[in-house]
Amino acid sequence: MERVSARNMRQPDEPTISAAGLRIIKLLVGTPPRTVSEMIRATGVTRTAVTEQLNELAAAGFVDRTTERLPGRGRPRHLYSATQAALLLLFASNQRLLVPAIWKAIDEVGGRRMTEKVLHRTAVNLAEHYKRRISGRTPAERLEQMSRLLADEGVLVDIDEGDDGQLAIRKRSCPFISMYESSGAVCCVDQEMMSEVVGVPVRRTACRHEGAACCVFEIASTNGR
């Protein structure tokens, strides 16, 4: 499809983790909340360096900070703990093994029919998650609203419009990537979920697993756009 206009969805700042930041995350995961002083002793670096890393990790959503008031007239102290996002960051590679193994187990226990049912229910449940927050009346409006919601969740997504009036959604990153296995069945979840949300059939015109730069899904424009 020739793209004559593209409206890039606003993306949140992409968090980047330095080696020093990753070291602090590993100190915090699975332990009681720690103070800056405790992390200075554990890492052997300066207070300034630890504080800078904690501020960056907190801004990226990997660290939570709480304040504890001490007895007497002493100054309150800050305590830092790892978030669930930090856990996911540490075990991202494990997810690439675990999730396909779950799909394989479902197929072995219930066969292809069971796998298809699970994928369908997954798509429906995900669609409900987005439909509750979408007010657009036309497919085009709903597609753009869903794209903004995806962008707010961290998905890299663009909306393109061709000279024939067709709309396409380019998903440059994929929240389903850890669910992918050789059959590619999970890609149908994305397609079915978008069809449910938009209210008209959506078709995949490009796939990253078939050599394309990213997955592209397309719907026909309507007169109500």
Side-chain angles (χ1 to χ4, degrees):
M1 181 183 75
E2 181 182 3
R3 295 191 292 273
V4 298
S5 67
R7 295 179 295 284
N8 292 336
M9 299 295 104
R10 180 184 62 81
Q11 303 297 339
D13 293 336
E14 297 180 32
T16 56
I17 304 299
S18 65
L22 188 59
R23 185 179 180 186
I24 288 178
I25 286 177
K26 289 180 178 180
L27 283 174
L28 294 175
V29 166
T31 66
R34 296 194 181 203
T35 65
V36 170
S37 296
E38 289 171 333
M39 283 181 278
I40 291 172
R41 290 194 294 271
T43 60
V45 299
T46 65
R47 177 175 292 272
T48 298
V50 170
T51 301
E52 287 178 352
Q53 290 298 327
L54 287 170
N55 289 339
E56 291 179 4
L57 292 170
F62 296 120
V63 167
D64 279 338
R65 187 181 79 173
T66 57
T67 301
E68 180 182 63
R69 297 194 176 277
L70 300 174
R73 303 180 63 180
R75 294 178 59 185
R77 65 177 184 173
H78 298 306
L79 296 172
Y80 295 85
S81 58
T83 65
Q84 185 173 353
L87 283 172
L88 294 174
L89 176 71
L90 287 180
F91 298 105
S93 60
N94 182 263
Q95 294 299 306
R96 290 193 291 270
L97 297 173
L98 176 61
V99 178
I102 292 174
W103 288 119
K104 182 180 179 182
I106 292 172
D107 183 66
E108 289 173 348
V109 172
R112 188 63 188 173
R113 185 171 179 79
M114 174 64 74
T115 301
E116 290 174 353
K117 287 182 178 180
V118 171
L119 291 170
H120 170 69
R121 291 308 309 169
T122 301
V124 170
N125 290 335
L126 286 172
E128 289 301 318
H129 166 74
Y130 295 108
K131 287 166 70 174
R132 290 193 296 267
R133 294 179 287 168
I134 287 178
S135 59
R137 296 188 175 184
T138 68
E141 290 173 348
R142 289 193 289 272
L143 181 68
E144 293 200 38
Q145 288 178 351
M146 185 182 71
S147 298
R148 293 189 180 96
L149 292 174
L150 290 171
D152 288 342
E153 294 174 352
V155 181
L156 301 177
V157 56
D158 302 329
I159 292 287
D160 295 340
E161 182 179 354
D163 55 3
D164 56 0
Q166 286 184 312
L167 289 180
I169 179 170
R170 298 175 60 247
K171 297 187 73 174
R172 293 188 285 125
S173 62
C174 178
F176 299 96
I177 197 70
S178 68
M179 299 170 63
Y180 184 79
E181 39 76 42
S182 59
S183 73
V186 74
C187 294
C188 297
V189 172
D190 214 1
Q191 184 174 348
E192 185 175 353
M193 180 268 290
M194 282 190 280
S195 297
E196 287 277 342
V197 172
V198 172
V200 295
V202 172
R203 64 189 183 99
R204 189 173 68 239
T205 59
C207 178
R208 71 176 70 248
H209 302 293
E210 297 173 358
C214 68
C215 291
V216 181
F217 299 88
E218 185 178 279
I219 64 171
S221 63
T222 65
N223 293 332
R225 175 172 169 75

